[in-house]
Amino acid sequence: MDIFHLLTLIGGMSLFLFGMSVMGQALERRAGGKLRSMIGKFTTGRLAGLLTGLGVTAVIQSSSATTVMVVGFVNSGLMSLKQAINVIMGANIGTTVTAWILSLSGIDSGNMFVRLLKPSAFTPVLALWGIILFNFCKGGKKRDTGMILLGFATLMFGMETMSGAVSGLGDIPAFQNLFLLFQNPVLGVAAGAILTAIIQSSSASVGILQILAVTGKVTYGAAVPIIMGQNIGTCVTAMLSAVGANKNAKRAALVHLSFNVIGSAVWLLVFYLVKVIFHPLLLDQPASLLGIAIAHSIFNVLCTMIMLPLSGLLEKLVTKLVPDTKKPEIFAELDERLLTTPPIALDRCRKVAADMAKTAVSSLKEGMDSLQNYSAELAESIRKKEEKTDHYEDILGTYLVKLSTRQVGESSSREAAKLLKVIGDYERISDHAVNLLEAAEELRYKELQFTETAKKELAVISLAVNEILDLSLTAFLQNDLEAAFLVEPLEQVIDELKEQMRTSHIMRMQQEECSIDAGFVWSDLLTDLERTSDHCSNIAGCVVDVAHRSMNFHESLRKLRNNNEEFKEKYQEYTQKYVLR
């Protein structure tokens, strides 16, 4: 093996790792909805949690990514430690899928149909189809499918390149001695753990082991301990992700480490006893690609079999290792660990934005209520909700910008843009709630009064604003296009109500039925209510635009008003419903 073989090996390994990364990221984007659906089932029981971890890891091809995701869920309060244990155990089985796919490279047969199963036969076709989908299709899902195929083709090409480069290693005495050294199970476990910790992927390290097996010098006696060590090394990613997290998230990462260390220790002892007492001939046989995949799967299934019934004891162990403190547990609304899986991170953003929307709408309704039924408790509630929405806007804005820098699908990109727009509108609605409260306080402290006519008019516009808040909230939370459509005609009616009420109040001041000070407060109230309806219109417009794959709200609004008979009918209905007497 000369310098050129070494360079080929480095290039092949780089393509292999790059292809695995690209394929995994594209799989996450392509399976975003299904991924969220699978994650949503982890609360139904021990077996469901196990299958969820297995399924998610099989989809995204990375137990490390799944475990980091789980740590993020626990840190956000979305998953309990008990649920996390089951998902982590399932992830260890799910990660074996990659080894089975890579084992196809070892197919050797004279039968044409069997040879077609070998990646070198079908990978060029997948690469061609992938580049067609990626370059010539506009749909985000089709482009993601193209990236999956290209990533897989790159991965397999890298593997073929490495296999060719390492073929000469079998004749090098130093290489032979190296794997003779790994016949010592403890050294084999250490080697597997170190390699996996460096590249932070057990799937990739198992793939590299399969490639080295092509030389024919890697025996099962050396391969099995290395596989055990790889399960320990993959825990590094989760342990690093738990730094700075709350205690339950640290416990979840520690569960991953404890599960693999205990499982490896138990089966390493069994392996050592079998090797010493029975001297099975299989352990001295050269390992094949398929044999390594089988050994990897058997080991992970056996670890799960002995540890799943002991999950309660595992939970007690990590609870003792990371004890409770007197400080209350703090959950992160948006955990940056979830950014490793953008579909899950975006789903979390939706939930936080939904809470923000409900809080803002509630604060505005309380603000209107304070005009008639002011109390210190109500004032405190409004101000707390305004602070909460300010906080939500800050964290959501920052998080969504970070998420937008990740490779996300076209639909996810539009959804992120919608959320960025909407959170600004809901933050302003909560500001208007405080403005209404301050108006109520000014009326109270200055002992100002509106006339009975003004109070009746205020009740009419308040009902209209209450309805438009409910419609826009329903449109946002449920992506309800019918509710979104009803917002715009009602917003136009509220604009006209405001102008009528302003004119009426000017006439009352001219007739000295109302004071000038009360008139200033009245003008501010109308402005806040009218601008609230404007923000509701913006929110509904975003929902409509995203549904129609457009972000030109003003153009959509112009078409809606000018060319829609149904709009005119609804406008007339609202005009008759909200009439100033």
Side-chain angles (χ1 to χ4, degrees), residues 395-407:
I395 63 171
L396 272 168
T398 303
Y399 197 84
L400 284 166
V401 168
K402 290 180 180 179
L403 181 59
S404 298
T405 63
R406 304 290 177 117
Q407 288 188 333

Side-chain angles (χ1 to χ4, degrees), residues 91-118:
N92 268 37
I93 299 176
T95 195
T96 62
V97 171
T98 307
W100 284 96
I101 296 173
L102 298 180
S103 69
L104 294 174
S105 296
I107 293 175
D108 188 15
S109 173
N111 188 298
M112 185 184 72
F113 293 103
V114 175
R115 288 173 61 191
L116 285 174
L117 297 174
K118 194 170 183 177

Side-chain angles (χ1 to χ4, degrees), residues 517-558:
D517 287 342
F520 288 141
V521 176
W522 180 260
S523 178
D524 291 340
L525 282 177
L526 294 182
T527 299
D528 286 314
L529 294 173
E530 185 269 332
R531 287 181 180 173
T532 295
S533 72
D534 289 343
H535 291 299
C536 290
S537 175
N538 292 341
I539 292 162
C542 276
V543 173
V544 173
D545 285 343
V546 170
H548 294 158
R549 299 187 176 185
S550 167
M551 295 306 286
N552 190 347
F553 174 57
H554 294 292
E555 178 64 21
S556 302
L557 183 60
R558 185 185 64 79

Side-chain angles (χ1 to χ4, degrees), residues 503-520:
T503 302
S504 297
H505 207 75
I506 290 172
M507 292 175 63
R508 286 193 291 272
M509 285 192 297
Q510 289 174 342
Q511 295 169 7
E512 298 184 351
E513 294 178 10
C514 182
S515 68
I516 293 177
D517 287 342
F520 288 141

Side-chain angles (χ1 to χ4, degrees), residues 361 365 368 461-471 494:
V361 168
K365 289 182 177 180
M368 290 191 291
I461 196 171
S462 295
L463 287 173
V465 171
N466 192 77
E467 182 172 354
I468 202 171
L469 284 168
D470 289 339
L471 286 172
I494 291 172

